[in-house]
Amino acid sequence: MPATDLKRADAASPGGGDDISSGLDALESPSAPAARRAAKKAVAPLAAIVFVLVVWQLAYALDVLSTLPSPASVAGELGDLWRDGTLLPALGHSLERCVFGFAASVLVGAPLGLLVYRYALVRTVIAPVLSAFQSLPAAALVPLAVIALGESESAVYAVVLLGAVPSISMGLASALDQIPPLLRRAGVTMGATGLRAVRKVLLPAALPGLVSALRQGWTFGWRALMTAELITATPLPGVGQVLNAGKESASFTLIVAAVIVILAIGVLVEALIFGPIERRVLRDRGLTGPK
Amino acid sequence: MTSTSVTRAAAAPAVRLAGATKRFGDALVLDRIDLDVAEGEFVCLLGASGCGKSTLLNLAAGLDRPTAGTVTAGAARPALMFQEHALFPWLTAGGNVELALELGGLDRKERRAEAERLLALVRLSGAHGKRIHEMSGGMRQRVALARALAQGSQLLLMDEPFAALDAITRDVLHEVLTDVWEKRRLSVIFVTHNVREAVRLGQRVVLLSSRPGRIAREWQVGIPYPRRIEDHDVAELSLEITGHLREEIRRHARH
């Protein structure tokens, strides 16, 4: 069999050059950097939290704002919300809407971004509309959605989608635009065409930009959701409704507690999901991301 | 040398350009190029800037069509290598090779072993899991060569693939390339502006004139392999060819 002949021939290389090439390889490969930033990583957010708490407590002690509740009273309020069974269901409802809303936004936004990238006609017609929606505040969308769909879950979802989809599709389209032509050409040379080119070359090449687009889509969707929950009326429980209850009862403590919950979710999603994904994606490509 | 080239020409060539002409707008880039590359032949294309070397390679690769004349290639999809490695940075060295194998239709089970084999062929055993950014320029170009080989084409088109490497690394890559060429019986068109490199590598050196690109002269290189770039014969022929290359460039100064 020629195949076995080839195997044997491949295994044996003429002497001399091997040593030089492996010597060069060893000299020119950087040694792997030691992973010792783990402790640092945990310290930074903790320091930020302590900093905020100290400033807050100081402002309370100096009575900078007469209505400002103390950190302790807000913590107590959060404890009450937890015990009386308001916090967890509200969180559950909001997160459920955000997760499903975000998933739907990805399913709509990613293909739309591909179409904008691929077809000049789609770009001409749809891209300006998407850009326009990107600059539209969610607060302006809520009345529209409520009138069109009633005070319902669908109205909330519509607001989340309109908040997230434009960011995802425009972000993906611009990430695809930035793929080096040489990589596309290499893909074509290797026979990656059509959907295979999308799956094997274009999407992986655009992944860093795609992750940024998804993060921005999530942020916009989350903000839009809070706005929607705040503005639409009672049948839709959620964190936004807790905020609204604070406003109705003029309880600064409750409002600050709700804001902290909303903030915490944003921070946690970034720290546990988008941050690690982005670091991984950038590290694999030898690009230095945020440390 | 002449007798072998006659027998070679009798077989179907790996690539045949017959009166191939290429214009971009009004600019005549290639003018009636006649070039046969035989199966298993190593041809180096040499010329100053603007001689249309890369255009010629694109025609041979089927990435572009001639304005007039014909280009016939035996291989359906020739493998291409560029000056930049063009490896996919989201894949490991082995991943890049395996992707080429996958797109060529090889079974998942066989890909890993074949990729290892190809990496060993370019003297990169054990580099399967290495990231592209962790490797030197010379290693990257060898991965690119392994990936090009993974396409399974017998025709390899190379566009100044070693131009950005330092002299010692380039030396090693010359050795790897001629080694692979002999083992795999590939047909190679190697574009370069480096005369010594052309003589070191090629069985035949084709000198192109500039603006428009025409075949100015050809040399059969009778120096037996393995050659080294500092060999006396290589230096001597390089000197002769450099003289002609300079003449070609000088012609432009007069006009």
Side-chain angles (χ1 to χ4, degrees):
Chain A
M1 251 331 268
T4 46
D5 281 343
L6 273 176
K7 246 178 224 167
R8 206 171 304 129
D10 289 355
S13 293
D18 259 0
D19 293 341
I20 295 173
S21 66
S22 62
L24 275 177
D25 295 349
L27 284 173
E28 289 173 344
S29 303
S31 52
R36 59 187 151 85
R37 288 209 311 271
K40 250 191 198 168
K41 250 187 262 167
V43 166
L46 280 178
I49 290 170
V50 168
F51 172 72
V52 169
L53 283 176
V54 166
V55 170
W56 182 4
Q57 182 65 46
L58 216 62
Y60 175 74
L62 297 173
D63 205 13
V64 173
L65 194 66
S66 60
T67 44
L68 185 72
S70 71
S73 66
V74 170
E77 183 69 56
L78 280 172
D80 289 345
L81 282 174
W82 178 268
R83 272 189 297 280
D84 68 14
T86 319
L87 187 56
L88 206 56
L91 260 180
H93 277 110
S94 292
L95 281 179
E96 185 188 314
R97 286 190 199 111
C98 207
V99 167
F100 284 117
F102 179 66
S105 303
V106 174
L107 289 181
V108 176
L112 201 57
L114 269 174
L115 292 179
V116 168
Y117 164 73
R118 183 71 183 73
Y119 298 104
L121 184 67
V122 180
R123 188 182 290 257
T124 317
V125 178
I126 308 278
V129 180
L130 291 171
S131 297
F133 265 104
Q134 251 182 314
S135 63
L136 192 64
L141 288 171
V142 176
L144 265 177
V146 166
I147 288 187
L149 301 162
E151 296 219 338
S152 60
E153 287 286 336
S154 2
V156 174
Y157 277 115
V159 172
V160 172
L161 253 79
L162 286 171
V165 166
S167 293
I168 295 174
S169 32
M170 292 306 286
L172 176 57
S174 97
L176 289 165
D177 288 339
Q178 288 171 31
I179 298 175
L182 189 65
L183 292 189
R184 287 204 308 263
R185 193 168 164 214
V188 171
T189 315
M190 286 158 60
T193 48
L195 265 184
R196 287 218 290 188
V198 171
R199 222 157 43 84
K200 296 291 179 185
V201 181
L202 296 181
L203 282 184
L207 195 56
L210 177 59
V211 172
S212 301
L214 291 179
R215 165 195 276 152
Q216 206 192 14
W218 164 271
T219 310
F220 280 30
W222 177 242
R223 284 188 206 164
L225 176 67
M226 287 302 105
T227 312
E229 284 184 357
L230 185 64
I231 296 180
T232 53
T234 33
L236 303 172
V239 181
Q241 275 298 301
V242 178
L243 196 59
N244 196 41
K247 197 183 91 189
E248 302 276 292
S249 62
S251 161
F252 203 167
T253 320
L254 185 56
I255 290 177
V256 174
V259 167
I260 286 179
V261 170
I262 295 171
L263 213 61
I265 289 175
V267 169
L268 283 178
V269 167
E270 170 61 30
L272 298 179
I273 301 175
F274 289 108
I277 291 176
E278 178 171 70
R279 274 197 295 279
R280 171 77 199 271
V281 163
L282 293 181
R283 202 183 53 221
D284 282 357
R285 287 161 172 71
L287 304 163
T288 36
K291 287 184 179 160
Chain B
M1 272 337 276
T2 324
S3 66
T4 47
S5 70
V6 168
T7 40
R8 276 210 179 101
V15 194
R16 166 168 287 166
L17 287 89
T21 299
K22 183 69 186 176
R23 287 173 190 280
F24 291 111
D26 287 339
L28 180 62
V29 178
L30 289 175
D31 187 21
R32 287 164 292 156
I33 301 284
D34 293 308
L35 178 69
D36 275 14
V37 176
E39 293 279 358
E41 191 182 15
F42 200 130
V43 175
C44 289
L45 285 183
L46 194 63
S49 336
C51 70
K53 291 174 291 198
S54 300
T55 307
L56 201 160
L57 215 56
N58 279 342
L59 291 183
L63 291 175
D64 208 348
R65 288 160 176 277
T67 316
T70 57
V71 176
T72 342
R77 199 185 326 112
L80 258 170
M81 257 184 87
F82 317 98
Q83 181 173 337
E84 294 86 18
H85 57 76
L87 294 170
F88 296 146
W90 58 91
L91 297 171
T92 57
N96 270 280
V97 179
E98 284 185 31
L99 178 58
L101 293 169
E102 180 187 346
L103 292 168
L106 194 70
D107 274 359
R108 183 184 295 271
K109 284 172 286 180
E110 295 163 43
R111 272 180 231 151
R112 171 82 194 207
E114 179 64 14
E116 299 274 12
R117 220 154 63 74
L118 287 168
L119 285 172
L121 183 62
V122 297
R123 301 182 196 172
L124 279 175
S125 312
H128 192 282
K130 268 216 167 15
R131 291 273 163 198
I132 305 309
H133 65 93
E134 295 170 337
M135 295 189 292
S136 67
M139 293 170 81
R140 288 176 192 165
Q141 282 303 42
R142 276 182 283 156
V143 177
L145 176 58
R147 185 176 74 172
L149 295 173
Q151 291 178 39
S153 172
Q154 281 300 106
L155 176 58
L156 183 57
L157 307 173
M158 308 178 89
D159 194 354
E160 302 197 30
F162 308 145
L165 302 177
D166 65 84
I168 296 175
T169 305
R170 198 184 305 144
D171 227 26
V172 171
L173 285 237
H174 287 160
E175 232 176 88
V176 171
L177 177 60
T178 42
D179 191 28
V180 168
W181 162 68
E182 284 179 332
K183 281 174 182 163
R184 293 284 166 117
R185 298 177 182 84
L186 301 171
S187 317
V188 182
I189 302 182
F190 188 103
V191 165
T192 178
H193 59 258
N194 182 331
V195 178
R196 279 227 179 183
E197 179 171 71
V199 176
R200 156 73 179 83
L201 292 172
Q203 294 174 304
R204 183 150 60 107
V205 175
V206 176
L207 177 64
L208 291 174
S209 64
S210 299
R211 286 190 201 133
R214 291 192 181 113
I215 292 184
R217 240 190 115 128
E218 295 193 19
W219 287 264
Q220 294 289 343
V221 184
I223 308 163
Y225 296 92
R227 303 174 189 159
R228 300 191 54 80
I229 200 142
E230 60 270 14
D231 282 349
H232 176 73
D233 292 348
V234 171
E236 203 170 37
L237 184 54
S238 297
L239 228 74
E240 182 194 329
I241 296 177
T242 304
H244 286 271
L245 179 59
R246 288 211 172 132
E247 187 55 39
E248 282 300 324
I249 297 169
R250 223 174 280 131
R251 250 176 1 95
H252 283 271
R254 287 190 209 122
H255 296 174

